[in-house]
Amino acid sequence: MYGFSRFYKYPLPLLLLSLWLIVVFLLSDQPAHSQHAAISNKEKYQSTLLAKTIMPSTLTENVRKTVLENGLTVLTKEVHTAPVVTVQAWYKVGSRNEEPGVNGIAHQLEHMMFKGTKNRPIQFGRLFSALGSDSNAFTSYDQTAYYGTVERNKLKALLVLEADRMQNSQIEPEQLASEKRVVISELQGYENSPEYRLNRAVMQAVFPNHAYGLPVGGTKADVEKFEVEQVQKYYRNFYSPDNAVLVIVGDFQTANTLETIKEVFGKLPKKVRSEKLGVRSKNTFTSSPSLSTPIVLREPGVGRLLQVVYPLPDANQPDVPALDVMDYILTEGRNSRLYQVLVESGLASEVTASVTSLRESGWYEVLVTAGSKQDLKKIDLVLSRAIANVAEKGVTSEEVERAKTQLTADVILSNRDITSQAMRLGNDETTAGDYRYTDRYLAAVRLVKPTDVVAVINKYLTKEARIAGFFEPTQKRITGVGDKPDSAQTTENFSPGVPVIPSEVAKYLPPVDLVTDAISRVLPQEFKFTNGLRILLLPDNSTPTVTLSGHIQAGTEFDPENKAGLAAFVADNLLNGTKSKDVLTIAKVLAERGVSLNFQTYREGVHIEGDSLALDLPIILEILADVVKNSTFPVQELELHRQQTLTDLQLELDEPSEVARRIFVQSIYPKKHPLHTFPTEESLQQIQRRDVIDFKAKHYRPDTTVLALVGDFDLNIVRSLIKNEFGDWEVSGQAPTLEYPAVSMPEKIVSVNSVLSGKTQAVTYMGYTGINRYDPRFHAALVLNQILGGDTLSSRLGAEVRDRQGLSYGIYSSFQAGKNAGTFVIEMQTSPEDSTKAIASTRQILQQIHQQGVTALEVETAKRTLISNYNVSLANPEELTDRILMNEVYGLDKGELHSFTDKIQKVTLTQVNQAARELLHPDKIVVVTAGPSVLTEKSIR
């Protein structure tokens, strides 16, 4: 849904090419090579890639900038790797243009821009959904941006919609009143976070005379006072062609597209700006006063936090690249300076930091989560001494080169799809005033020297400049659950109004060629080794990167009841040492090349995520093989991880969404069921090193492991590399299996509530047991879900509960289907006073669809949306690789990658309505709400 951006981890990152399937090589399975042959292959692989140009001389050499007569700046970049295009409208206005009293007006207007126009008085989210557009918007300090990514034949339709709301948006009293409730609900969600509240207090102290010190989303007090005339005036003042940047990246022809843009946008006039808006269009930055003592927040919550902020120069100042390199040396990875002195010592469970570089200023922010029973004053002292030590003794050339490599690799790997490329162009043009900023930035990063890093520390990270803040929880949160009659939810009668009428959507949709572009039917090559390991390889040379995705059948479903958390304990400690490498060596090997390798545990398995530049694929394979085969789980690292996990658990149980999710699952699945158990402090304390070793030996097996790779590699060589690294991974006996017991539906409505002190927003989960991936109703259920709650603006739930009544910032539904039956769940965030009404309205919509079904036009619209979204998702390398992987894990035909859309297209109205009758049960549902002002009796199980 809507949102706002507080900062970028990579302040002005490099954006590169989008990934698509364009080539595949066929070969038969071959015997394993010898160790000598594998080494030769590795050298051959690297030498081949070294001959390639890893990055173009300039990253924007294919970008064309055009300025129309009305002042609209247009940036276009052709990327022909997928039949997909992204359209983004960036306005040079954000919270920087606000002041106390009207804080949040940019964010409020962003919401209103979806409410319709004079020409199209309809929720724009429904139009975007009908186009199958992956659309959203955000408000930040310097800009407000709207973006949508679609199949290329819908490019003009998106342009027409963006031009319409640039000039003709309607801001009516009733709509504003409803959307103000939504914004307040959103802000209450942020207020639930102690980190957010601490950051707000510190930033106000850092920027007392500048709008950068105001929260981007605004405050409840200001939002409540917004009048229609204020928002309309803000719209008239800032939303015009001469204050906007239009960015288009993807599969299009520049000349033809520019003619279309001139036709659609060229007729829009510049707007006469109001001089008495009551909102500053520019602020004068002055340095913050020094505070000798930290700001201290003593409020309900869990976990101690330290935040330190140092003011920095704006994005165009020459010190920014050295500051980013400094940040990586201080906080990125296990070998970083602050991680070593704070986390490795046990003082903290986590330390993160970021450099924010904006149009008029910037800042360096360090956030430390204290370890259990650790004193914030001591942590602050150690932090200050560590920074002073770096300034005094300097940094090594090795550290600087590693940081530069990490930074460059990170920004390349995190920005490969066309949406991200356009985001970077839009951000560079609106923040730095030059879409080519990243070219200059990256060139400057390459020139950073150790002396430059020391110089910026001495210049900016001074004791006099810093503002520190402590979050000290005043009490330990007590959470409870209770079963009670559902009287409030069942007796109130809130009319859900008329359903979304698809014919109305079609009426206002711009003309579009509904013939979908043919997608290349390229499929991955599959290999299975003698030890049972399966790999799927899809070569693609459109970008010099590789994405790895893997699955090991070692998920939380195998956790012993009294040692819940064991599966995650194993996965989280794989990288903490092997027979040949200690934890710091592993971290250093990965960091030196900017390689990313992570393990994430979920109920049915461990998910492996890896990214690297193509040149470094042998490194990621070597480390992955070493840790899954040879992890040693050193005692010291296990104990450090245990303390971090215990701290994380405390923080999780202070989050309404996590509490609601836990209680929801435990209310559906009975004790002894594999899904009922969650980690607790007691279960985590029970886990011993022997348990970790035994679990690893039992469940980490090649015959339950699948690896999928997509990227720039030679298929023969990579298959040989994998064979060499994993071929000696031995398997013994049969793989462990698990049968889920049948779970019955609740006999009636079950209402469970939980109180969390100091929270302002409630989170509700509603649902029951669902279906598995093999259910013959699966595809019909996806279509049904898209109509019901698949999108928070265009769905039945979104249109009524969120858009018309303004009761929720976001409401979604989903069928979580895996190998085993999952859950059907609806999740929503509401103000506490709106929870009952939102739940009642949701149940009535469920009842309506259950009894009356949906319409043929709704089904066709939902199918078109699902198909278009799926095709767009395949242009993202992470999503593509994950889909290839999970199709194999589920045992689906390898052609499922492309036949999925055919199966969606064949779903009929009869099948969807049958699924609605069989899968929607409004009177047999578990309803869990976590948040403030809810009475309880029992404790979390």
Side-chain angles (χ1 to χ4, degrees):
M1 223 358 261
Y2 316 113
F4 61 81
S5 171
R6 188 159 66 85
F7 56 77
Y8 296 95
K9 169 62 183 172
Y10 313 112
L12 287 162
L14 166 70
L15 288 152
L16 276 185
L17 305 169
S18 177
L19 180 62
W20 191 250
L21 315 178
I22 61 170
V23 65
V24 67
F25 300 99
L26 303 177
L27 79 163
S28 59
D29 195 11
Q30 298 177 0
H33 295 286
S34 66
Q35 177 71 21
H36 175 75
I39 293 174
S40 298
N41 275 326
K42 185 183 297 186
E43 292 173 347
K44 178 182 177 182
Y45 177 87
Q46 292 178 324
S47 63
T48 299
L49 288 172
L50 278 171
K52 294 186 175 185
T53 302
I54 296 299
M55 292 177 291
S57 56
T58 61
L59 301 169
T60 53
E61 58 187 358
N62 296 325
V63 176
R64 178 172 173 179
K65 180 176 180 177
T66 306
V67 180
L68 304 189
E69 291 184 5
N70 60 7
L72 178 67
T73 298
V74 182
L75 301 176
T76 54
K77 180 180 181 181
E78 294 184 27
V79 180
H80 300 290
T81 53
V84 175
V85 64
T86 187
V87 174
Q88 302 183 5
W90 290 67
Y91 294 91
K92 300 176 185 178
V93 59
S95 64
R96 177 179 61 84
N97 304 90
E98 298 172 358
E99 61 187 12
V102 288
N103 182 208
I105 195 169
H107 181 220
Q108 182 69 65
L109 178 57
E110 174 218 313
H111 280 241
M112 298 305 297
M113 290 287 284
F114 284 83
K115 304 298 281 189
T117 66
K118 299 173 184 176
N119 301 324
R120 295 178 174 83
I122 185 174
Q123 164 60 252
F124 263 45
R126 299 177 199 171
L127 299 176
F128 293 135
S129 180
L131 286 173
S133 174
D134 180 11
S135 297
N136 215 318
F138 68 86
T139 302
S140 190
Y141 293 98
D142 291 334
Q143 64 278 113
T144 305
Y146 304 82
Y147 57 96
T149 304
V150 294
E151 295 158 309
R152 63 186 173 194
N153 59 319
K154 299 164 185 174
L155 168 59
K156 184 174 181 179
L158 277 189
L159 292 173
V160 169
L161 292 177
E162 288 300 342
D164 190 15
R165 64 177 175 176
M166 179 180 285
Q167 184 179 34
N168 303 311
S169 285
Q170 289 192 123
I171 302 169
E172 303 294 342
E174 183 178 352
Q175 293 176 329
L176 178 60
S178 171
E179 206 62 30
K180 281 163 64 173
R181 294 180 71 176
V182 171
V183 169
I184 289 170
S185 173
E186 178 183 356
L187 297 179
Q188 288 173 328
Y190 303 135
E191 289 282 349
N192 278 352
S193 167
E195 176 187 338
Y196 175 84
R197 303 199 301 270
L198 179 62
N199 175 263
R200 183 180 59 190
V202 173
M203 289 300 291
Q204 286 174 345
V206 175
F207 297 101
N209 302 309
H210 194 285
Y212 286 159
L214 301 174
V216 172
T219 64
K220 180 181 178 181
D222 282 1
V223 171
E224 286 177 331
K225 294 184 294 185
F226 289 155
E227 299 291 341
V228 169
E229 293 76 14
Q230 280 181 299
V231 182
Q232 288 175 338
K233 187 177 290 186
Y234 193 90
Y235 171 65
R236 291 193 300 268
N237 203 52
F238 291 108
Y239 278 61
S240 65
D242 53 315
N243 197 47
V245 177
L246 182 69
V247 186
I248 304 174
V249 176
D251 193 15
F252 63 92
Q253 297 299 320
T254 300
N256 294 338
T257 299
L258 284 175
E259 288 302 313
T260 301
I261 291 171
K262 291 175 183 177
E263 171 194 341
V264 174
F265 284 88
K267 58 189 176 184
L268 302 185
K270 296 181 181 180
K271 295 182 181 178
V272 178
R273 307 213 179 281
S274 169
E275 296 299 329
K276 298 181 179 180
L277 185 65
V279 181
R280 290 179 288 188
S281 61
K282 184 168 178 70
N283 295 271
T284 302
F285 171 70
T286 57
S287 299
S288 61
S290 175
L291 295 180
S292 57
T293 58
I295 298 166
V296 180
L297 292 188
R298 291 186 174 91
E299 299 176 353
V302 172
R304 294 177 174 84
L305 299 173
L306 164 66
Q307 185 173 51
V308 179
V309 176
Y310 301 87
L312 295 180
D314 64 76
N316 282 304
Q317 292 298 315
D319 288 334
V320 170
L323 286 163
D324 286 333
V325 173
M326 172 207 73
D327 174 36
Y328 272 67
I329 293 173
L330 291 179
T331 65
E332 189 67 23
R334 294 289 296 261
N335 289 283
S336 63
R337 295 295 188 94
L338 296 185
Y339 190 97
Q340 286 291 307
V341 299
L342 293 174
V343 181
E344 292 286 356
S345 67
L347 287 173
S349 66
E350 185 179 22
V351 56
T352 60
S354 63
V355 173
T356 299
S357 302
L358 300 178
R359 184 169 176 172
E360 294 179 1
S361 185
W363 58 88
Y364 184 52
E365 173 186 339
V366 181
L367 180 67
V368 182
T369 303
S372 179
K373 300 178 181 178
Q374 296 295 334
D375 180 66
L376 288 178
K377 292 182 180 179
K378 180 179 180 181
I379 293 173
D380 191 22
L381 180 61
V382 172
L383 170 65
S384 298
R385 286 176 176 172
I387 293 175
N389 184 61
V390 176
E392 179 183 348
K393 298 183 178 179
V395 296
T396 66
S397 296
E398 181 185 7
E399 285 179 303
V400 171
E401 293 307 311
R402 182 166 64 238
K404 288 157 63 173
T405 301
Q406 284 179 288
L407 194 159
T408 302
D410 279 349
V411 296
I412 293 173
L413 293 167
S414 63
N415 293 282
R416 287 174 286 179
D417 59 284
I418 61 170
T419 301
S420 297
Q421 292 180 58
M423 284 281 185
R424 178 49 45 215
L425 292 172
N427 186 72
D428 284 355
E429 184 69 20
T430 56
T431 297
D434 182 6
Y435 73 91
R436 297 161 299 187
Y437 178 92
T438 298
D439 290 335
R440 296 186 280 111
Y441 168 79
L442 186 62
V445 166
R446 291 195 291 267
L447 299 176
V448 172
K449 303 182 295 294
T451 53
D452 299 325
V453 174
V454 173
V456 294
I457 293 176
N458 284 318
K459 185 175 181 180
Y460 299 107
L461 272 57
T462 65
K463 181 179 179 180
E464 295 74 25
R466 75 195 300 267
I467 301 290
F470 292 176
F471 180 82
E472 294 275 12
T474 56
Q475 63 186 52
K476 185 173 182 180
R477 179 196 52 79
I478 300 175
T479 303
V481 301
D483 299 329
K484 62 178 183 179
D486 189 56
S487 56
Q489 285 88 336
T490 56
T491 57
E492 293 198 45
N493 181 25
F494 299 103
S495 171
V498 296
V500 177
I501 303 176
S503 60
E504 286 295 295
V505 176
K507 174 181 175 182
Y508 295 114
L509 203 62
V512 62
D513 179 6
L514 295 180
V515 178
T516 303
D517 292 289
I519 304 297
S520 178
R521 300 282 175 172
V522 183
L523 295 173
Q525 295 296 295
E526 180 179 355
F527 305 96
K528 184 174 181 179
F529 298 139
T530 55
N531 59 7
L533 174 68
R534 289 167 288 164
I535 61 171
L536 298 106
L537 304 177
L538 188 59
D540 169 59
N541 62 3
S542 62
T543 144
T545 62
V546 175
T547 300
L548 179 147
S549 189
H551 175 95
I552 302 175
Q553 191 176 315
T556 60
E557 61 187 3
F558 290 111
D559 274 349
E561 184 178 358
N562 65 332
K563 295 178 181 176
L566 177 57
F569 224 79
V570 175
D572 293 343
N573 282 278
L574 289 173
L575 291 167
N576 285 347
T578 66
K579 297 175 182 177
S580 60
K581 302 179 185 70
D582 63 19
V583 59
L584 294 181
T585 301
I586 293 173
K588 183 178 178 182
V589 169
L590 295 174
E592 284 178 339
R593 303 308 306 160
V595 173
S596 170
L597 180 61
N598 299 291
F599 300 86
Q600 182 67 42
T601 311
Y602 64 105
R603 68 168 186 161
E604 290 187 342
V606 173
H607 186 66
I608 306 167
E609 296 179 347
D611 293 287
S612 73
L613 297 179
L615 178 67
D616 300 314
L617 177 58
I619 295 173
I620 200 171
L621 292 176
E622 178 184 343
I623 296 297
L624 174 60
D626 192 21
V627 300
V628 298
K629 292 187 300 183
N630 304 313
S631 289
T632 55
F633 305 107
V635 173
Q636 181 178 352
E637 297 300 331
L638 284 177
E639 290 308 311
L640 178 61
H641 177 73
R642 189 195 311 277
Q643 295 308 312
Q644 293 170 342
T645 304
L646 288 169
T647 300
D648 291 343
L649 176 63
Q650 287 183 327
L651 297 173
E652 286 177 8
L653 294 182
D654 192 48
E655 289 290 335
S657 58
E658 178 61 24
V659 172
R661 184 183 72 87
R662 279 187 171 225
I663 299 175
F664 174 72
V665 171
Q666 290 185 329
S667 299
I668 292 175
Y669 300 104
K671 289 184 177 181
K672 306 300 182 183
H673 191 284
L675 301 187
H676 180 88
T677 305
F678 282 86
T680 65
E681 182 176 348
E682 293 74 21
S683 71
L684 293 173
Q685 293 286 13
Q686 290 290 324
I687 297 172
Q688 303 300 314
R689 181 170 181 267
R690 184 75 259 166
D691 301 319
V692 175
I693 293 172
D694 290 346
F695 187 97
K696 162 73 165 45
K698 182 178 181 181
H699 296 283
Y700 280 67
R701 306 162 52 97
D703 56 342
T704 62
T705 299
V706 183
L707 300 178
L709 289 92
V710 174
D712 189 11
F713 53 75
D714 179 275
L715 192 140
N716 269 306
I717 296 176
V718 170
R719 192 186 69 85
S720 180
L721 286 172
I722 295 175
K723 185 74 173 180
N724 177 70
E725 298 291 355
F726 294 90
D728 62 349
W729 191 5
E730 298 180 354
V731 60
S732 176
Q734 295 297 314
T737 58
L738 190 66
E739 296 219 1
Y740 283 26
V743 177
S744 59
M745 296 285 294
E747 296 181 359
K748 59 180 181 179
I749 296 172
V750 177
S751 177
V752 188
N753 300 314
S754 178
V755 166
L756 289 90
S757 301
K759 302 304 176 185
T760 57
Q761 185 191 64
V763 175
T764 297
Y765 275 68
M766 305 172 62
Y768 36 75
T769 54
I771 59 177
N772 63 29
R773 180 61 179 83
Y774 314 106
D775 193 296
R777 300 166 295 184
F778 175 74
H779 295 92
L782 292 182
V783 177
L784 170 65
N785 183 74
Q786 181 64 28
I787 296 168
L788 172 65
D791 183 278
T792 202
L793 288 180
S794 65
S795 65
R796 292 269 193 106
L797 289 174
E800 174 61 20
V801 179
R802 187 222 173 278
D803 199 43
R804 192 183 76 81
Q805 297 189 48
L807 299 176
S808 174
Y809 168 58
I811 181 168
Y812 304 89
S813 64
S814 64
F815 287 92
Q816 300 171 347
K819 282 186 175 182
N820 295 282
T823 55
F824 166 70
V825 62
I826 298 170
E827 180 184 0
M828 70 179 88
Q829 306 91 39
T830 61
S831 296
E833 61 269 21
D834 290 334
S835 297
T836 298
K837 186 175 181 180
I839 291 167
S841 293
T842 297
R843 285 193 52 245
Q844 288 204 349
I845 292 171
L846 287 174
Q847 188 77 40
Q848 185 184 69
I849 297 179
H850 172 74
Q851 293 178 343
Q852 303 172 18
V854 299
T855 68
L857 198 49
E858 280 181 305
V859 169
E860 290 307 310
T861 301
K863 287 160 56 174
R864 188 162 62 245
T865 299
L866 289 170
I867 290 170
S868 182
N869 286 343
Y870 181 84
N871 288 336
V872 168
S873 76
L874 294 186
N876 183 296
E878 283 81 11
E879 293 189 48
L880 170 63
T881 313
D882 281 347
R883 289 190 183 275
I884 291 172
L885 173 77
M886 296 313 295
N887 285 344
E888 177 65 24
V889 170
Y890 292 142
L892 304 176
D893 183 271
K894 65 179 182 179
E896 177 72 14
L897 184 65
H898 298 297
S899 64
F900 173 83
T901 55
D902 297 331
K903 293 174 182 178
I904 292 293
Q905 185 59 50
K906 291 176 182 177
V907 171
T908 66
L909 173 64
T910 300
Q911 290 172 327
V912 175
N913 283 333
Q914 181 179 349
R917 290 190 297 272
E918 296 174 356
L919 300 177
L920 300 184
H921 306 285
D923 297 323
K924 298 180 178 180
I925 192 168
V926 173
V927 182
V928 177
T929 299
S933 303
V934 184
L935 297 178
T936 64
E937 297 175 0
K938 302 176 185 178
S939 61
I940 286 184
R941 292 160 282 178

